[in-house]
Amino acid sequence: TQLLEQSPQFLSIQEGENLTVYCNSSSVFSSLQWYRQEPGEGPVLLVTVVTGGEVKKLKRLTFQFGDARKDSSLHITAAQPGDTGLYLCAGAGGSQGNLIFGKGTKLSVKP
Amino acid sequence: EPEVTQTPSHQVTQMGQEVILRCVPISNHLYFYWYRQILGQKVEFLVSFYNNEISEKSEIFDDQFSVERPDGSNFTLKIRSTKLEDSAMYFCANPGGAAAFFGQGTRLTVV
């Protein structure tokens, strides 16, 4: 069974700090995605990483896919209160559309 | 980002009643998926539907669940006889490459 473990589960930081959250698995994934979810809403896609070692940047967010395609990280530089939310990683579990999600990292950025 | 629309946003139903959740996917997509998220837990894959047929389903998607495309543009998820443990957010989604674009969800509360 493919599982994605995310850490930390909760993270509370001050505005301006940097942070990294992790998504790990013992299985190889053809791709991993990162989503952000607000309370009561659906996950919103941030990025998809496909190639081992790949690094993608989205403004202050940097996403990395591990060389072995078993893990990924999300680094946020100079966090802002607007970054507060639940960050989910997900990977393809089988056929088209069968995504396996991690439990998420709940980030709180205090002004 | 392409939009997937779900109705209703919130549904309260008595245990044992049938509910129908509706989704209007991104135009011209033949694939759509249903996921659910019990409060505080992972987003879980239920079923993928392609060209009017189920292409994959999870263990959660038992005989009380069904999916249909009643007309050319809408998709439905029916739960025949709801149980308390069916209370969750239900999301439909369309493919976005290896990832998915999610609707805002329907919160189902079974009482």
Side-chain angles (χ1 to χ4, degrees), chain B residues 10-21 36 38 64-65 79-90 106-111:
Chain B
H10 191 186
Q11 172 121 19
V12 181
T13 189
Q14 295 258 335
M15 190 169 55
Q17 295 296 303
E18 174 183 282
V19 294
I20 298 176
L21 311 181
R36 81 170 184 190
I38 295 171
Q64 71 161 344
F65 289 93
I79 309 175
R80 266 181 267 283
S81 178
T82 50
K83 299 179 281 211
L84 294 175
E85 53 264 38
D86 293 327
S87 295
M89 286 287 288
Y90 288 82
T106 293
R107 179 176 296 283
L108 176 64
T109 303
V110 182
V111 296

Side-chain angles (χ1 to χ4, degrees), chain A residues 3-4 31 33 35 37 40-45 48 86 88 94-99 101-103, chain B residues 1 31 33 35 37 42-43 45 48 55-56 89 91 95-104 107:
Chain A
L3 288 173
L4 286 168
S31 68
Q33 301 103 47
Y35 296 82
Q37 185 179 27
E41 297 182 12
V44 175
L45 178 66
T48 299
L86 180 66
L88 302 168
S95 68
Q96 175 85 16
N98 184 349
L99 295 175
F101 278 81
K103 284 188 175 180
Chain B
E1 181 180 299
Y31 259 116
Y33 324 123
Y35 285 79
Q37 186 178 30
K42 292 183 186 182
V43 177
F45 170 76
S48 60
S55 60
E56 187 172 354
M89 286 287 288
F91 299 107
F101 294 114
F102 287 82
Q104 79 280 17
R107 179 176 296 283

